[in-house]
Amino acid sequence: MAEPRKVSFKINGAVREGTTEPRKLLVDFIRDDLGLTGTHIGCEHGICGACTILFNGEAARSCLMLAVQADGAEITTVEGLAAPDGTLHPLQQAFWEHHALQCGFCTPGMLMAACDLLRVNPSPTEEEIRTGLSAVLCRCTGYQGIVDAVKAAADRMRSSN
Amino acid sequence: MAATQKWVGQPLKRTEDPRLLVGDGVFIADQLFPNLHHAAILRSPHAHARIRSIDASAALRLPGVVGIVTGQDAAKMTRPFAVGVRAPVKYYCMAVDKVRFVGEPVAVVVATNRYLAEDALDLIQVDYEPLSAVVDPERALAADAPLLHEEVGSNLACHRHIVYGDPDAAFADAEVVISERFVFPKYGSTPIETYGVVASFDRTSDVLTIHANFMGPFILHPITARALNLPENKLRLVVPPDIGGSFGIKTGIFPYMSLVGLAAMKTGVTVKWIEDRREHLLASSSGTDRIAYRELAARRDGTILAMRTRWYDNVGGYIRTPEPGCSFRPIGNWFGAYRFQHLEADANVVMTNKSLTGPNRGYACGHLYFEIERMVDLLAEKIGMDPAEVRRRNFIQPGEFPYRTPSGGLYDSGDYPAAFEKALELADYAGLRRSQEQARADGRLFGVGLAVAVDPSVSNMGYITVALDPEIRGRPGYLPKSGALEAATVKVDPLGRIIGVLGSAPQGQGHRTVVAQIIADELGIAPDDITIVDEMDTFTRVWGISSGTYSSRFGSVGTSAAALAARRLRDKLVRFASYLMEVPPESVVWSEGGAHHANNGQVLTLKDLAGRAHWDVESIPPGMEAGLEATAVFAFPEAKAPDLQDRVNSSNTYGFIAEVMAVEIDPDTAAIKILKYVTVHDAGEIINPAIVEGQIYGGALHGLGGALYEELAYDEQGQALAGSFMDYLVPTAHEAVKIDIAHVVSPSPFTTLGAKGLGESSSMTVPAVLANAVTDALKPLGVHIRELPITPSRLWHLMESARSKR
Ligand code: FES
Ligand code: FES
């Protein structure tokens, strides 16, 4: 087995360090070593999107990366989305208002994917939202509430900018 | 009567959501435990093979490995699971001497972390003697088919031939007879959270504690305890605060509760196992695939007289309880929404070398309505009548409720014609037919489909005993099974706040929100002043074998128990207040969260009463029990055991669904575009319309996935072909459709609030309505949909062969 390596990165605004086997998945490191269990695992093969995080600002699947690859990176997980005072991010608020979650298991990944979508395209059409979010699977909602929520959040974010 | 009803019926935002939105949900994989070790499971690569030997010595020597469990341990320390059929199938939590499907557990490694446990799997040597396999349920019944269970003597796990009325006479009288063969695929709702179990054994008390994202039915608790040779009160089953979806699928976790429990008992450490997606697709649970033959007898005026049906349900390598529910769960609604009185059903439940089955959203109803509603359309075509008109002529009429079906179902309430007409109107059915005419004139393939369903909820635990011959059920000493219940407790804390306690184990259905709405109305307070606990713990909650969140039951039975408990508490508060006011109870009314004297203006608030009851117990009147809490166990009175004519009220409330779908099919690529989809539901009184809408959307997409994309496919040798989400296609936001939803409301006379369940909802109608719409679109080619899923390649082949025949 390969020697453990040091890894250090910024996550949700704070620098965190640890030692890890080189083979350890980033998602396992985030969940098990850092205790940030908001990022979920639904397939470990890059399809379901439950593990989606922002990696240097862009959506990425943390089940398809190794923890050591994150050395020096800047990461945001669902725990870093709300304001420090607890005010929900407009996407979180809109998800709540539009019944965009049932079991909530896909929700963290869905929120992070939606963040990335709105960064790239601040005023997406419904079609663009559907395409943009097709990288995250939800089995509860039939997606309609999610699509409505992302649209509402986009409107709110544009008007507050 | 609730004083002033104001919360029930509102689309309240869910109290569950904030935690889940910020990543603070607590799912099974998130929970921390002391002395935690991790399990990985070695699984069979063969569909059917004898295990000659297992050598785990090298794995055991790997640093970090603390123990290994094999079939020998299972044979020594556990018993086969009980199941409700006579066939003596020995189903243990892992393979003992043979493997019977790809993915069957063969060994479990327990190690200090999951990575090491998986490393160790590679070091285990299993010597298999491969045997030939069978995956087709009809083929499996051939005399020369490979035999899965020697002790059973055939692959037939259960057979029942059941007749209601006089179908032979009806067929003899018929002016029109139609017959068809249908194939329904094997698919599962694949919750995004997989199975997870954590088990620890306390040697001093002999209690095995299992944490699992299990959602019922809790009959599986005593079954698991028995399999582990534990008294039931030594098995503590705890469900985490959050479950990441189930849709029936997590019922199939109980063998893993047993397996991980066995590993904990053998190794003495706390063992955690989180299923990965490949394991889930290979070896968790799915609905059955079914081959069905159906005949329909009718008059030329469209009146359906009778049906005959024979089906082969494929339950995989072992029949696992609650199967054969796949065959009998909808027995009370086998006649669908129609008035015909004669039915012959021949149910064959077959074991083959596929993975095991169980409840999947719409349990057995997707199959049922696919067959019935296709038959009705075939009848319409044969007699040249509009399919809407054929349905109208056969509906049970509003004046007939409660309506007893010939198979014993007691449809509680409904107005099928009203809901159906509402769906047609919302879809502009006449307009769709005009568009179709135009489209056909232009050479386009445009179709309109209809489907209706009676939507059963709250299974009567007795239905499953229909699997046994009446001769057995009629023997002296036979202990019948029946019933459906749920419990709730409402209690007042010392400062007048409310806690409601359920044991419902929801998976996203918003029970906390809904029950807070109900209690708020009953006690005249705000939902914010109510905290609901809905985690299940078999040591502390009030529960019965039917408890849990499955068969769309919470909307009917859970809400009834919660309302009843709140009413009991309110009655006690009124009696207590009247004593303190020194007036008769009749002169006290409860409203706005307090007891009011009818005339003199005296008020005692909930807070006042809570204070007195908690801090000054002496103030409780003689004869009244101290404490301010009430528990209600709500049980349906009509959930009786099947009679000797196989009649049973298999569910307790029966909603209704009417749907219209319009599709256009690309003549070159066979791609199906859904242009319109209307669904009208009658689920009785609606408590939270937003949650109801969410259930309909989710259910519909499960139906759509099963009808168009999803299939747990196998090759002839029993190799599983769908081991990842790359092979098993789940609809994304892109494939999801927008739905026009409407409701009619026929309150149930059997529930406290008049509500019915609708969790499974359109999952049971979409396969039917889509097949009807696609068949209608392809009428110019004469293509009939008999088999699902309607993948583009399958449809393209059907279209091509139809064209080449022209
Ligand atoms: S867990 Fe990473 S994509 Fe599914
Ligand atoms: S809310 Fe359950 S998977 Fe999306």
Side-chain angles (χ1 to χ4, degrees):
Chain A
M1 202 181 313
E3 280 304 300
R5 296 236 210 122
K6 270 221 163 66
V7 47
S8 155
F9 51 77
K10 205 171 187 186
I11 184 161
N12 303 329
V15 176
R16 301 285 296 267
E17 297 176 340
T19 320
T20 175
E21 277 185 62
R23 65 172 173 173
K24 188 168 222 168
L25 298 180
L26 178 57
V27 67
D28 286 340
F29 188 80
I30 290 173
R31 289 177 50 83
D32 300 341
D33 294 54
L34 302 184
L36 295 169
T37 54
T39 302
H40 295 155
I41 300 174
C43 71
E44 286 176 292
H45 54 248
I47 303 285
C48 78
C51 66
T52 304
I53 57 170
L54 297 183
F55 190 87
N56 293 331
E58 287 179 30
R61 282 155 159 40
S62 57
C63 76
L64 293 185
M65 297 181 75
L66 300 172
V68 290
Q69 289 176 284
D71 197 40
E74 188 159 345
I75 289 173
T76 309
T77 67
V78 69
E79 289 93 342
L81 216 47
D85 71 354
T87 307
L88 294 181
H89 184 281
L91 273 164
Q92 290 169 315
Q93 184 67 32
F95 268 52
W96 193 14
E97 284 163 11
H98 291 267
H99 190 31
L101 58 154
Q102 290 181 26
C103 77
F105 197 80
C106 71
T107 308
M110 201 62 90
L111 285 167
M112 303 321 283
C115 268
D116 193 44
L117 170 68
L118 296 188
R119 179 184 59 83
V120 179
N121 180 359
S123 36
T125 62
E126 167 155 354
E127 200 48 34
E128 287 166 341
I129 294 172
R130 286 185 183 273
T131 309
L133 295 182
S134 64
V136 186
L137 299 178
C138 173
R139 296 246 67 182
C140 295
T141 63
Y143 301 102
Q144 190 61 42
I146 295 171
V147 172
D148 294 343
V150 172
K151 195 146 189 35
D155 293 346
R156 196 171 310 166
M157 285 162 76
R158 273 199 320 276
S159 60
S160 67
N161 276 347
Chain B
M1 277 298 297
T4 39
Q5 201 182 44
K6 50 185 174 184
W7 299 105
V8 167
Q10 304 295 320
L12 235 57
K13 290 204 308 250
R14 302 195 321 164
T15 50
E16 286 87 346
D17 291 358
R19 299 166 45 252
L20 296 166
L21 284 163
V22 300
D24 285 353
V26 180
F27 296 88
I28 183 88
D30 306 337
Q31 292 185 299
L32 297 174
F33 298 88
N35 193 24
L36 193 59
H37 288 66
H38 300 262
I41 301 175
L42 184 71
R43 292 174 181 277
S44 168
H46 298 286
H48 196 192
R50 204 167 298 286
I51 299 173
R52 286 208 198 94
S53 64
I54 300 178
D55 180 359
S57 51
L60 210 43
R61 283 196 301 270
L62 193 73
V65 171
V66 301
I68 289 173
V69 180
T70 67
Q72 285 184 356
D73 300 301
K76 250 195 313 227
M77 297 170 70
T78 74
R79 290 195 262 185
F81 295 104
V83 62
V85 296
R86 300 270 286 169
V89 177
K90 287 207 180 102
Y91 172 45
Y92 288 91
C93 58
M94 64 196 304
V96 170
D97 46 10
K98 262 173 87 172
V99 290
R100 295 178 174 89
F101 64 97
V102 168
E104 184 172 2
V106 171
V108 181
V109 173
V110 178
T112 48
N113 73 50
R114 175 72 178 246
Y115 288 78
L116 284 174
E118 291 192 17
D119 289 346
L121 294 186
D122 293 341
L123 302 176
I124 299 176
Q125 305 283 336
V126 185
D127 184 12
Y128 291 103
E129 176 194 335
L131 303 168
S132 48
V134 61
V135 291
D136 178 293
E138 281 185 296
R139 241 305 272 127
L141 295 183
D144 62 343
L147 182 61
L148 273 75
H149 298 269
E150 284 75 6
E151 59 276 27
V152 178
S154 99
N155 293 322
L156 189 64
C158 167
H159 171 244
R160 284 302 322 277
H161 182 256
I162 300 176
V163 178
Y164 302 109
D166 191 351
D168 288 348
F171 271 87
D173 280 354
E175 294 166 350
V176 187
V177 171
I178 291 156
S179 51
E180 186 59 283
R181 178 183 190 266
F182 298 105
V183 180
F184 199 88
K186 180 181 178 73
Y187 64 90
S189 294
T190 55
I192 303 298
E193 181 203 40
T194 56
Y195 291 178
V197 181
V198 179
S200 56
F201 187 63
D202 178 354
R203 269 153 222 276
T204 56
S205 63
D206 287 337
V207 169
L208 178 70
T209 301
I210 292 182
H211 297 256
N213 46 9
F214 169 73
M215 33 45 85
F218 278 82
I219 188 174
L220 296 168
H221 170 279
I223 285 177
T224 304
R226 206 181 136 80
L228 285 164
N229 289 311
L230 288 170
E232 282 151 60
N233 63 355
K234 297 290 183 188
L235 175 62
R236 180 176 196 172
L237 176 54
V238 185
V239 173
D242 297 297
I243 297 182
S246 167
F247 323 107
I249 292 297
K250 282 174 179 160
T251 288
I253 197 175
F254 77 90
Y256 291 104
M257 299 187 325
S258 189
L259 182 62
V260 180
L262 171 63
M265 288 166 86
K266 185 177 176 193
T267 59
V269 297
T270 300
V271 181
K272 176 178 185 174
W273 168 72
I274 303 293
E275 183 190 53
D276 71 24
R277 181 57 57 184
R278 182 175 163 75
E279 294 181 286
H280 187 83
L281 289 167
L282 294 183
S284 62
S285 190
S286 72
T288 54
D289 47 316
R290 170 185 287 188
I291 296 170
Y293 298 84
R294 218 171 244 273
E295 283 182 283
L296 177 149
R299 281 204 290 266
R300 218 169 283 289
D301 67 0
T303 309
I304 301 170
L305 301 173
M307 290 201 198
R308 283 199 188 110
T309 169
R310 182 173 86 250
W311 66 73
Y312 301 87
D313 270 336
N314 187 350
V315 293
Y318 304 80
I319 183 166
R320 176 181 64 188
T321 195
E323 300 291 23
C326 54
S327 276
F328 303 111
R329 187 251 180 159
I331 184 166
N333 53 295
W334 270 354
F335 291 76
Y338 306 121
R339 299 180 68 179
F340 67 99
Q341 295 291 310
H342 310 284
L343 177 73
E344 179 178 347
D346 193 76
N348 298 275
V349 180
V350 186
M351 294 180 285
T352 75
N353 299 105
K354 286 190 180 181
S355 66
L356 313 194
T357 63
N360 182 45
R361 202 172 197 170
Y363 195 23
C365 291
H367 307 61
L368 176 73
Y369 295 120
F370 174 58
E371 295 161 29
I372 293 184
E373 293 299 298
R374 281 296 303 125
M375 293 303 282
V376 172
D377 268 27
L378 288 169
L379 171 63
E381 188 177 340
K382 179 107 173 203
I383 61 176
M385 189 180 281
D386 187 301
E389 187 54 30
V390 176
R391 287 179 173 80
R392 281 188 194 111
R393 293 189 180 199
N394 288 285
F395 280 141
I396 296 161
Q397 294 300 305
E400 297 180 87
F401 292 93
Y403 176 87
R404 183 71 75 176
T405 67
S407 52
L410 185 63
Y411 294 174
D412 46 341
S413 61
D415 187 342
Y416 301 169
F420 184 63
E421 297 305 331
K422 192 166 192 167
L424 295 182
E425 192 187 318
L426 199 57
D428 184 16
Y429 183 63
L432 287 175
R433 287 293 178 204
R434 282 194 299 276
S435 312
Q436 178 174 47
E437 234 170 83
Q438 185 58 51
R440 282 197 180 144
D442 300 344
R444 283 158 45 218
L445 300 171
F446 182 104
V448 185
L450 303 174
V452 298
V454 173
D455 180 0
S457 48
V458 197
S459 288
N460 166 5
M461 295 313 268
Y463 84 77
I464 198 69
T465 58
V466 170
L468 302 173
D469 280 314
E471 188 265 310
I472 296 167
R473 284 182 273 123
R475 282 182 197 162
Y478 171 79
L479 297 174
K481 292 191 176 56
S482 71
L485 61 79
E486 193 63 82
T489 298
V490 182
K491 50 189 185 181
V492 188
D493 75 15
L495 293 175
R497 297 288 152 84
I498 298 290
I499 293 192
V501 187
L502 314 168
S504 57
Q507 323 100 44
Q509 294 89 344
H511 292 183
R512 290 174 216 177
T513 305
V514 165
V515 170
Q517 287 178 260
I518 292 168
I519 297 174
D521 277 358
E522 297 295 338
L523 296 183
I525 56 177
D528 282 352
D529 288 331
I530 303 169
T531 296
I532 304 294
V533 183
D534 58 7
E535 298 144 52
M536 179 60 170
D537 177 340
T538 54
F539 271 18
T540 60
R541 299 291 185 267
V542 181
W543 60 281
I545 59 159
S546 61
S547 293
T549 295
Y550 63 97
S551 80
S552 309
R553 71 200 302 277
F554 193 76
S556 298
V557 71
T559 61
S560 288
L564 216 55
R567 285 177 194 181
R568 274 194 195 153
L569 177 67
R570 194 180 63 209
D571 289 347
K572 184 169 188 177
L573 288 165
V574 165
R575 279 184 286 121
F576 182 35
S578 76
Y579 176 75
L580 295 176
M581 291 177 185
E582 300 180 17
V583 298
E586 306 79 64
S587 57
V588 177
V589 289
W590 187 270
S591 75
E592 308 281 316
H596 299 252
H597 189 278
N599 310 318
N600 72 8
Q602 253 197 95
V603 181
L604 284 171
T605 64
L606 188 54
K607 189 173 173 188
D608 298 334
L609 294 167
R612 294 298 293 270
H614 280 282
W615 307 102
D616 181 15
V617 179
E618 209 187 334
S619 68
I620 306 250
M624 184 182 279
E625 205 177 338
L628 281 186
E629 63 175 71
T631 294
V633 180
F634 180 87
F636 279 98
E638 293 293 338
K640 303 200 168 97
D643 68 14
L644 297 184
Q645 284 72 49
D646 293 311
R647 290 175 300 210
V648 59
N649 186 31
S650 47
S651 296
N652 284 285
T653 58
Y654 297 84
F656 182 70
I657 308 169
E659 308 205 321
V660 183
M661 185 179 277
V663 301
E664 180 156 358
I665 295 168
D666 186 308
D668 298 322
T669 64
I672 300 169
K673 193 168 166 55
I674 295 173
L675 305 171
K676 190 171 238 351
Y677 173 37
V678 169
T679 185
V680 174
H681 289 253
D682 186 348
E685 297 292 350
I686 290 173
I687 298 168
N688 185 318
I691 289 177
V692 160
E693 187 163 306
Q695 290 296 319
I696 294 172
Y697 260 101
L701 198 58
H702 280 284
L704 196 73
L708 287 180
Y709 312 106
E710 298 175 32
E711 184 171 15
L712 289 164
Y714 286 77
D715 72 10
E716 295 278 289
Q717 284 75 46
Q719 264 313 322
L721 302 177
S724 79
F725 275 152
M726 277 165 283
D727 323 300
Y728 189 81
L729 298 181
V730 168
T732 73
H734 202 77
E735 289 78 49
V737 287
K738 199 156 183 147
I739 311 177
D740 294 318
I741 299 173
H743 300 278
V744 297
V745 176
S746 309
S748 173
F750 300 145
T751 60
T752 311
L753 300 171
K756 306 185 185 191
L758 103 163
E760 294 166 274
S761 68
S762 297
S763 65
M764 64 184 75
T765 34
V766 171
V769 77
L770 191 85
N772 281 345
V774 170
T775 301
D776 189 52
L778 297 177
K779 210 173 237 169
L781 296 176
V783 169
H784 281 230
I785 298 301
R786 306 176 168 88
E787 186 170 354
L788 301 175
I790 317 169
T791 56
S793 67
R794 181 172 282 152
L795 191 58
W796 188 84
H797 282 291
L798 285 173
M799 288 163 65
E800 279 306 290
S801 75
R803 280 179 183 132
S804 68
K805 282 197 200 109
R806 296 210 152 212

